[in-house]
Amino acid sequence: MKSLIYILIYFVSFAAMAQDGYDAVLQLIETNNTTLAALREQTESQKIGNRTGIYISNPEVEFNYLWGNPSKIGHRTDFAVRQSFDFPTAYGHRRNIADLQNANAELVYKSERTNLLLLAKQTCIELVHYNALVKEYSVRLDNAQRIADTYRIRLDKGDANILEYNKAKLNLATIQTELTKIEAERVALLAELKRMNGGKEISLSQDEFFPPALPVNFEEWYSSAEAKNPVLQYVKGEINIGKEQVRLNRALSLPKFSTGYMSEKVVGEQYQGITLGVSIPLWEKKNTQRYAQARVKASEMALVDAKNQFYNRLESLYGKASVLRQNALEFRRTITANRNDALLKKALDSGEISLLDYLLEIGYYYDAIVQALEVERDYELALAELSAVEL
């Protein structure tokens, strides 16, 4: 019971500490990442573009100066100002569409940001895993070095043979090689974080996992996750844009109007007054309404599919994370309750077991530690993907 309580504390009590460690790195990357900076500028430019072409058309000014022939009839001067406009409700629909398009542009940016920060968090998790391996193999290296030194002394005294000494040296070399490989992977992960951080150095020294617990009720948690998912919000936005486009096309199918002022001057005479005009909508907007309605229907089907895919993926991740969490807890409980590295060292030093027996037995313990670290890493990775919408 005490060991189980210890394991639960291991996974829960320092969760906030680990989260703060990730958050600090992710905040730096969000600030310095050049890809996000470029996406931000693209989003702003797109939002400006969405609000172009939504206002009343430009007025037209016309001036004519005509020479008379024969010259005795004098010259003629015409001047006109015209303003044309769509049916008034069309402008309100255009503004609504622009606002919805801008909201969707922000959602596209948010989705790209989430994907990038998730990748950064996954890199952090891998780095923590390799930090833990470096810590573990450093302990093993010290132990292997101590054993090799001991058997060298014993060989010099005649208490051990060359075969035992060679085993000790081979064990030391194997651990040194493995530690070198782990260090190389760790350096590569730090380089990847540096790249994401706009080329600026970044560090993460954490070497233990303290993941938060899974949500108790998946369905309740999913409802919250669905409301925050930018992809689903984007598809809903496309539906709203399509519906507003239907209303706009309906307004554009109504007559257009024009009004203005016109004057005409000839020798000794002048005419001036207002002009009114109307366009009769017959063929220009044919099928635009049907097209807009078809787009709405397609977007609604896409939303149903996206919700399905999102739910099934999260349900699968939740199940995977549940299994991994149970495995991680069981691994740590078993290792804590049955660790015998100290007893093996004592038995080797007292001569109760041979070096070969020691290396075989300690190998089981070492393998269990590595497997436990891998399961804890996989659980953390599953949690990261599961809670990506929170980034």
Side-chain angles (χ1 to χ4, degrees):
M1 179 61 71
K2 288 184 178 180
S3 61
L4 179 58
I5 293 173
Y6 174 80
I7 298 303
L8 290 173
I9 292 174
Y10 177 86
F11 274 95
V12 177
S13 63
F14 299 104
M17 183 191 305
Q19 191 63 34
D20 288 343
Y22 292 147
D23 287 347
V25 173
L26 297 184
Q27 287 170 9
L28 280 174
I29 289 175
E30 183 174 6
T31 300
N32 298 322
N33 185 267
T34 54
T35 300
L36 280 182
L39 285 172
R40 181 74 268 171
E41 291 301 321
Q42 290 174 13
T43 301
E44 293 303 320
S45 66
Q46 184 178 349
K47 288 166 69 175
I48 295 172
N50 290 337
R51 296 197 67 82
T52 59
I54 66 173
Y55 303 103
I56 194 169
S57 60
N58 294 325
E60 299 178 18
V61 179
E62 182 180 345
F63 176 77
N64 302 315
Y65 185 79
L66 309 175
W67 290 271
N69 188 17
S71 59
K72 65 181 180 179
I73 67 174
H75 306 307
R76 171 181 162 183
T77 303
D78 295 339
F79 175 76
V81 179
R82 296 186 187 88
Q83 175 67 62
S84 60
F85 50 90
D86 294 315
F87 199 80
T89 56
Y91 300 101
H93 295 314
R94 286 195 179 110
R95 284 193 297 272
N96 292 341
I97 289 174
D99 291 339
L100 291 169
Q101 287 174 332
N102 284 352
N104 264 16
E106 282 293 335
L107 289 173
V108 171
Y109 171 79
K110 184 178 179 181
S111 178
E112 293 295 331
R113 170 188 171 276
T114 298
N115 291 337
L116 190 144
L117 292 182
L118 174 59
L119 180 59
K121 187 171 184 179
Q122 290 168 335
T123 305
C124 288
I125 291 169
E126 291 289 353
L127 180 57
V128 171
H129 175 67
Y130 277 94
N131 286 345
L133 287 176
V134 168
K135 180 180 178 181
E136 174 63 25
Y137 273 85
S138 295
V139 173
R140 296 184 190 183
L141 184 63
D142 290 342
N143 186 46
Q145 184 67 61
R146 182 191 65 80
I147 292 173
D149 292 342
T150 299
Y151 272 83
R152 180 182 57 80
I153 294 171
R154 290 180 62 182
L155 179 64
D156 292 341
K157 291 181 178 181
D159 293 337
N161 58 52
I162 190 64
L163 293 177
E164 291 177 316
Y165 178 62
N166 287 344
K167 288 175 189 174
K169 291 289 289 183
L170 183 60
N171 178 56
L172 175 62
T174 300
I175 294 176
Q176 285 175 329
T177 301
E178 194 64 30
L179 182 57
T180 300
K181 289 167 58 179
I182 293 169
E183 285 282 11
E185 291 292 337
R186 183 176 173 277
V187 169
L189 290 168
L190 284 170
E192 179 64 10
L193 285 178
K194 179 180 177 180
R195 182 192 66 80
M196 291 183 182
N197 197 39
K200 298 179 180 179
E201 294 290 343
I202 198 166
S203 64
L204 180 62
S205 59
Q206 180 182 329
D207 56 19
E208 291 182 83
F209 289 116
F210 309 107
L214 278 170
V216 177
N217 188 304
F218 172 75
E219 295 298 334
E220 289 181 4
W221 174 83
Y222 172 78
S223 299
S224 173
E226 180 185 300
K228 296 175 182 177
N229 183 267
V231 175
L232 296 182
Q233 291 181 49
Y234 177 86
V235 179
K236 290 177 183 177
E238 286 295 297
I239 292 174
N240 292 332
I241 290 172
K243 290 179 179 179
E244 200 63 37
Q245 189 68 50
V246 170
R247 299 185 188 101
L248 173 61
N249 289 337
R250 189 178 297 123
L252 292 177
S253 68
L254 298 172
K256 294 184 179 181
F257 303 94
S258 63
T259 185
Y261 166 81
M262 181 177 179
S263 73
E264 179 183 314
K265 292 182 181 180
V266 294
V267 178
E269 296 179 340
Q270 178 177 358
Y271 297 93
Q272 60 182 349
I274 62 172
T275 62
L276 297 173
V278 61
S279 69
I280 308 300
L282 293 178
W283 308 288
E284 183 181 2
K285 299 296 182 181
K286 186 178 181 180
N287 287 331
T288 55
Q289 189 76 346
R290 289 178 59 193
Y291 172 61
Q293 290 170 341
R295 285 189 61 185
V296 171
K297 185 175 180 181
S299 295
E300 288 173 342
M301 293 298 294
L303 178 61
V304 172
D305 178 63
K307 281 185 176 181
N308 240 0
Q309 298 292 338
F310 185 62
Y311 179 88
N312 291 333
R313 186 174 68 85
L314 288 193
E315 187 179 39
S316 175
L317 280 171
Y318 185 87
K320 177 182 177 181
S322 297
V323 173
L324 288 171
R325 180 175 183 273
Q326 187 61 37
N327 287 347
L329 288 170
E330 182 62 25
F331 251 123
R332 281 295 172 184
R333 186 192 67 79
T334 302
I335 290 172
T336 302
N338 300 285
R339 61 181 302 169
N340 57 3
D341 50 319
L343 292 175
L344 286 171
K345 178 179 177 297
K346 184 177 180 181
L348 177 66
D349 291 342
S350 64
E352 294 179 21
I353 59 175
S354 68
L355 177 60
L356 179 59
D357 290 337
Y358 172 82
L359 294 177
L360 287 174
E361 292 295 330
I362 200 68
Y364 296 135
Y365 172 73
Y366 286 164
D367 289 344
I369 291 291
V370 170
Q371 289 183 50
L373 290 174
E374 288 176 353
V375 172
E376 289 167 6
R377 176 201 59 191
D378 292 345
Y379 173 53
E380 188 89 2
L381 288 171
L383 274 182
E385 191 172 355
L386 196 61
S387 59
V389 292
E390 305 290 343
L391 294 174

